Amino acid sequence: MAQDAERDAMRDALQLARRGPRGVNPQVGALILAPDGTVLAEGWHRGAGTPHAEVDALSKLAPGAARGATAVVTLEPCNHTGRTGPCAVALLEAGVGRVVFALDDPTPLAGGGAERLRDGGVSVEGGVLADEARDLLADWLTVQRLGRPHVTVKWAQTLDGRAAAADGTSQWITGPAARADVHRRRAGADAIIAGTGTVLADDPALTARRDDGALFDAQPIPVVIGATAVPADAAVRRHPRELLTYDTHELTAVLDDLRRRGVQRVFVEGGPTLASAFVAAGLADELLVYIAPALLGGPRLALGDIGVASIDHARRLRIAALDTLGDDLLIVARPAEGTP
């Protein structure tokens, strides 16, 4: 069983992992601990072609300094040679006596590092703070497991579940703090999707903007789904990234094409019709629900028919986070284990 010092080190390693870029490769952090728990070195993966976290940490030590030490890593050390060599071999050659990691590597090519370390006489323990690591790598894990981008579906609603008033007005249900949070999350996505109904009704720019209105350096690719043409003067056509349009209701086909284009993180912000379609299709990996302390009543629900006929078939979720943003509440939810 992992010791308290190892669990504390794993928390630090997860923070180190967040320093690395989100992209094709997973964010990984590592610490090397002396037998008394003292941190000897730390490292993280800085992107494709750079040393992996374990090797980055080992590189900061003198030869032989890691002998008998414990390596704490957020992802199982890899067991293959790509642009860099196998981290499992690097740890063996450094003389590390114990390896603690959070998640098994799900990729057939890179997995197996734990077994290789055990075969080399190293004490190995996996699954330490696995839930925290899984939340950090949720989008990368989705791509590895399902072969499609990770999908976040966002909507804003009143306390009684309405996305708009009876006359269709919806700006603004939530306050400035919640809207700023949305824009920060947009900037972390590779693509943002809206439906043609939303584009025609609200004329959104689909950009990620700072509090002062300036654009974030990172901008998601704007994507519009629907049969109706996007008007020539629509705000989304002035987006700094090229607009992608899909005249189809086949969401899986859209995601497959986006994956071929290198997209890993999709942000769906297209109104109740599109949100309901992604949820009904079992394609929502994460829900961001912004709730304002207001009541509207009426028929304009934030989510429509998702194919649930009885309570027995409810789409069960687990709450990943609860945040207060000004007067509003953000619930981050993900499908419960075994739920489509």
Side-chain angles (χ1 to χ4, degrees):
M1 179 176 291
Q3 301 172 4
D4 289 344
E6 293 172 342
R7 296 176 68 85
D8 290 342
M10 185 65 76
R11 292 187 182 90
D12 292 340
L14 288 165
Q15 290 302 320
L16 288 171
R18 290 182 172 87
R19 298 184 186 182
R22 294 173 64 186
V24 175
N25 297 101
Q27 294 171 292
V28 182
L31 273 74
I32 309 297
L33 304 181
D36 64 357
T38 302
V39 176
L40 299 175
E42 59 184 33
W44 65 92
H45 189 216
R46 291 168 171 80
T50 65
H52 289 187
E54 304 95 312
V55 175
D56 183 42
L58 290 171
S59 70
K60 298 168 184 175
L61 297 175
R67 190 161 301 279
T70 295
V72 178
V73 194
T74 57
L75 186 66
E76 178 187 8
C78 70
N79 190 37
H80 82 295
T81 299
R83 296 187 187 182
T84 60
C87 293
V89 172
L91 292 167
L92 285 170
E93 292 178 345
V96 167
R98 178 169 165 79
V99 173
V100 176
F101 66 91
L103 287 180
D104 293 335
D105 192 314
T107 59
L109 183 63
E115 183 178 357
R116 189 165 187 172
L117 287 162
R118 290 189 183 100
D119 289 345
V122 175
S123 168
V124 179
E125 181 170 351
V128 178
L129 301 190
D131 286 344
E132 289 88 335
R134 196 173 291 111
D135 286 342
L136 171 66
L137 296 177
D139 50 0
W140 181 79
L141 290 169
T142 298
V143 174
Q144 307 311 313
R145 183 169 57 90
L146 301 176
R148 63 161 175 78
H150 181 272
V151 176
T152 294
V153 177
K154 168 264 174 183
W155 68 78
Q157 67 174 59
T158 57
L159 201 60
D160 57 345
R162 267 58 184 181
D167 63 357
T169 55
S170 61
Q171 296 182 337
W172 295 101
I173 286 177
T174 55
R179 297 198 297 273
D181 185 76
V182 170
H183 281 279
R184 285 191 294 272
R185 293 176 186 270
R186 284 184 182 183
D190 299 318
I192 179 170
I193 299 180
T196 51
T198 295
V199 170
L200 294 174
D202 298 337
D203 194 26
L206 299 185
T207 52
R209 301 183 294 278
R210 302 182 188 276
D211 292 347
D212 61 2
L215 296 181
F216 279 98
D217 293 336
Q219 289 292 321
I221 299 169
V223 177
V224 177
I225 298 176
T228 305
V230 177
D233 61 348
V236 71
R237 292 197 178 277
R238 298 188 292 277
H239 195 287
R241 304 288 298 274
E242 181 182 357
L243 172 66
L244 298 179
T245 59
Y246 295 90
D247 181 4
T248 180
H249 294 293
E250 296 294 330
L251 300 180
T252 300
V254 173
L255 293 177
D256 287 345
D257 186 66
L258 291 175
R259 179 72 187 101
R260 285 191 291 270
R261 295 172 182 268
V263 170
Q264 288 206 122
R265 300 175 301 277
V266 167
F267 196 88
V268 177
E269 194 172 357
T273 300
L274 194 61
S276 301
F278 271 94
V279 173
L283 296 173
D285 302 302
E286 179 179 68
L287 301 178
L288 302 180
V289 184
Y290 294 84
I291 302 175
L295 301 174
L296 285 174
R300 295 183 180 269
L301 295 172
L303 204 63
D305 183 11
I306 58 171
V308 175
S310 70
I311 192 66
D312 293 339
H313 299 113
R315 302 292 181 104
R316 297 294 178 181
L317 309 170
R318 67 178 180 89
I319 304 300
L322 287 169
D323 293 312
T324 301
L325 301 167
D327 292 331
D328 304 316
L329 177 67
L330 167 62
I331 298 178
V332 182
R334 300 188 178 110
E337 202 68 34
T339 301

